[in-house]
């Protein structure tokens, strides 16, 4: 059976999603989850997740720097895509159908989609699948810290803070403010991702005494949140939990465990760590991730 490779397109979205679902089921089975706990085996959940996240998958495809798919007899069997934002190359997705793993397809996709050339830094948000982790380390990126999803049924939560909370939209001054925070916390900027998030989620800017203190996205998934002072996380998270409770939504945060202020606050509130671990990997240490929480779901930083 001949394997062919070609650049991916936005129109590949449904086939890409099918590969994502199949490989996720396989990973969770190999991690020892019983079938009753694998939500991806439920066709109604799979369909509803696609409806909620199609705009995200389309955004990843439209704005990818490298997007490659592998096909066998015209059927999409694997993919890899990466973004390039202000010199930062991030591997966004990397999946090969279980029946085709171990045949060199993943290595070829990764070679095409995650080159070192043309970037200043490289990073991946990776599952703890051992073969993939080994492949990433051979490609020159290494685990820096784990990321866990912490969640609970939200409740109205009192808090005190001198932060000023402002809801904002897609205006040039909003992007200017967010760009300044990203440069201070992450060391690179990514306007194209923020334009997507600003249209997809509730966006807040935080100030103290009129001075910019951070930003956060809420509603259709929490995060990213970036705060210049990490001690502001308890107040911001209390506000976000209260807002989720008022809407009747679930509430959780995709949190780097180096963010001690957020970790301590959420555990004291009774939040639980989800068993599905991911690692942040990079070719060199960078960023102030003790001042950050990731986008949920964490398809990109």
């Amino acid at each position: 059976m001949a394997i062919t490779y070609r650049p991916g397109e936005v129109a590949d979205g449904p086939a890409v999603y099918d590969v994502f679902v199949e490989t996720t089921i396989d990973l969770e089975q190999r991690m020892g989850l019983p079938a009753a706990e694998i939500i991806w085996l439920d066709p109604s959940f799979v369909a509803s997740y696609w409806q909620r996240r199609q705009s995200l998958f389309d955004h990843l495809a439209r704005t990818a720097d490298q997007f490659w798919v592998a096909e066998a007899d015209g059927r999409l069997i694997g993919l890899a895509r990466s973004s390039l934002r202000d010199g930062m190359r991030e591997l966004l997705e990397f999946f090969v159908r279980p029946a085709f793993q171990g045949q060199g397809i993943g290595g070829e996709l990764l070679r095409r989609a995650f080159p070192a050339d043309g970037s200043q830094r490289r990073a991946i948000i990776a599952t703890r699948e051992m073969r993939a982790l080994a492949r990433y380390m051979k490609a020159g990126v290494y685990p820096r810290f784990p990321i866990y999803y912490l969640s609970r049924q939200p409740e109205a939560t009192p808090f005190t803070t001198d932060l000023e909370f402002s809801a904002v939209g897609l205006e040039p001054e909003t992007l200017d403010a967010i760009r300044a925070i990203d440069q201070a916390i992450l060391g690179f900027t990514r306007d194209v991702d923020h334009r997507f998030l600003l249209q997809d989620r509730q966006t807040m800017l935080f100030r103290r005494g009129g001075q910019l203190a951070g930003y956060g996205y809420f509603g259709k998934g929490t995060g990213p949140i970036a705060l210049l002072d990490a001690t502001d996380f308890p107040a911001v998270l209390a506000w976000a939990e209260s807002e989720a409770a008022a809407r009747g939504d679930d509430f959780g945060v995709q949190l780097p465990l180096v963010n001690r202020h957020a970790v301590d606050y959420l555990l004291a509130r009774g939040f639980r760590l989800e068993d599905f671990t991911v690692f942040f990997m990079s070719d060199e240490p960078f960023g102030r991730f003790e001042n950050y929480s990731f986008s949920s779901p964490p398809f990109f930083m």
Side-chain angles (χ1 to χ4, degrees), residues 189-266:
T189 61
R190 47 192 177 152
D191 286 5
V192 66
D193 292 323
H194 286 297
R195 289 191 183 96
F196 167 74
L197 290 168
L198 280 157
Q199 297 175 78
D200 191 62
R201 305 182 184 192
Q202 179 187 18
T203 311
M204 303 294 293
L205 289 181
F206 309 109
R207 293 183 172 86
R208 174 174 284 110
Q211 298 298 309
L212 189 63
Y215 69 79
Y217 293 94
F218 309 94
K220 191 178 177 182
T222 301
I225 304 171
L227 303 174
L228 295 178
D229 185 344
T231 65
D232 286 327
F233 264 94
V236 169
L237 293 173
W239 173 86
E241 182 184 353
S242 299
E243 291 290 303
R247 294 191 302 268
D249 291 344
D250 296 330
F251 182 68
V253 184
Q254 205 81 42
L255 202 61
L257 295 194
V258 294
N259 186 337
R260 293 175 51 192
H261 291 283
V263 168
D264 291 348
Y265 170 76
L266 292 175

Side-chain angles (χ1 to χ4, degrees), residues 11-290:
D12 292 316
V16 164
Y17 183 61
D18 185 56
V19 174
F20 164 74
V21 171
E22 185 176 328
T23 54
T24 300
I25 291 170
D26 176 68
L27 173 61
E28 294 190 352
Q29 288 173 333
R30 287 189 286 109
M31 289 170 56
L33 285 181
E37 295 182 17
I38 300 177
I39 56 178
W40 299 100
L41 290 170
D42 179 358
S44 63
F45 174 82
V46 171
S48 66
Y49 193 88
W50 172 249
Q51 291 177 346
R52 286 185 288 125
R53 300 301 185 192
Q54 182 180 357
S55 62
L56 172 60
F57 283 98
D58 287 350
H59 168 73
L60 298 179
R62 282 196 307 270
T63 65
D65 179 68
Q66 296 293 329
F67 178 17
W68 289 89
V69 301
E71 293 179 321
D73 295 334
R75 181 189 182 213
L76 198 149
I77 60 169
L79 70 133
R81 55 188 169 197
S82 66
S83 62
L84 186 62
R85 313 284 194 244
D86 194 19
M88 166 62 70
R89 183 177 301 284
E90 183 178 8
L91 186 68
L92 303 171
E93 293 167 283
F94 176 50
F95 303 108
V96 177
R97 292 187 190 273
F100 292 88
Q101 293 175 8
Q103 302 177 33
I105 297 167
E108 179 62 21
L109 286 168
L110 195 64
R111 185 188 69 79
R112 292 169 180 252
F114 197 56
D117 292 345
S119 63
Q120 298 172 11
R121 295 193 184 108
R122 292 185 300 156
I124 300 171
I125 297 174
T127 69
R128 55 188 173 94
E129 204 279 326
M130 294 304 167
R131 290 175 297 180
L133 286 173
R135 189 182 297 278
Y136 298 150
M137 287 187 282
K138 288 178 181 178
V141 293
Y142 304 91
R144 304 298 177 188
F145 49 80
I147 304 169
Y148 276 82
Y149 187 69
L150 286 80
S151 65
R152 62 160 289 164
Q153 190 65 32
E155 298 176 349
T157 308
F159 64 95
T160 57
T161 183
D162 61 347
L163 283 178
E164 304 150 18
F165 293 63
S166 302
V168 293
L170 182 54
E171 296 96 20
E173 54 269 28
T174 300
L175 283 170
D176 290 343
I178 290 174
R179 190 182 304 117
I181 296 293
D182 272 352
Q183 191 63 60
I185 300 297
L186 300 177
F188 69 97
T189 61
R190 47 192 177 152
D191 286 5
V192 66
D193 292 323
H194 286 297
R195 289 191 183 96
F196 167 74
L197 290 168
L198 280 157
Q199 297 175 78
D200 191 62
R201 305 182 184 192
Q202 179 187 18
T203 311
M204 303 294 293
L205 289 181
F206 309 109
R207 293 183 172 86
R208 174 174 284 110
Q211 298 298 309
L212 189 63
Y215 69 79
Y217 293 94
F218 309 94
K220 191 178 177 182
T222 301
I225 304 171
L227 303 174
L228 295 178
D229 185 344
T231 65
D232 286 327
F233 264 94
V236 169
L237 293 173
W239 173 86
E241 182 184 353
S242 299
E243 291 290 303
R247 294 191 302 268
D249 291 344
D250 296 330
F251 182 68
V253 184
Q254 205 81 42
L255 202 61
L257 295 194
V258 294
N259 186 337
R260 293 175 51 192
H261 291 283
V263 168
D264 291 348
Y265 170 76
L266 292 175
L267 291 179
R269 286 276 304 130
F271 279 68
R272 294 191 172 187
L273 284 80
E274 187 177 280
D275 190 45
F276 194 85
T277 316
V278 294
F279 293 104
F280 182 78
M281 307 179 71
S282 63
D283 55 1
E284 62 180 33
F286 71 93
R288 296 164 54 193
F289 290 97
E290 67 276 12

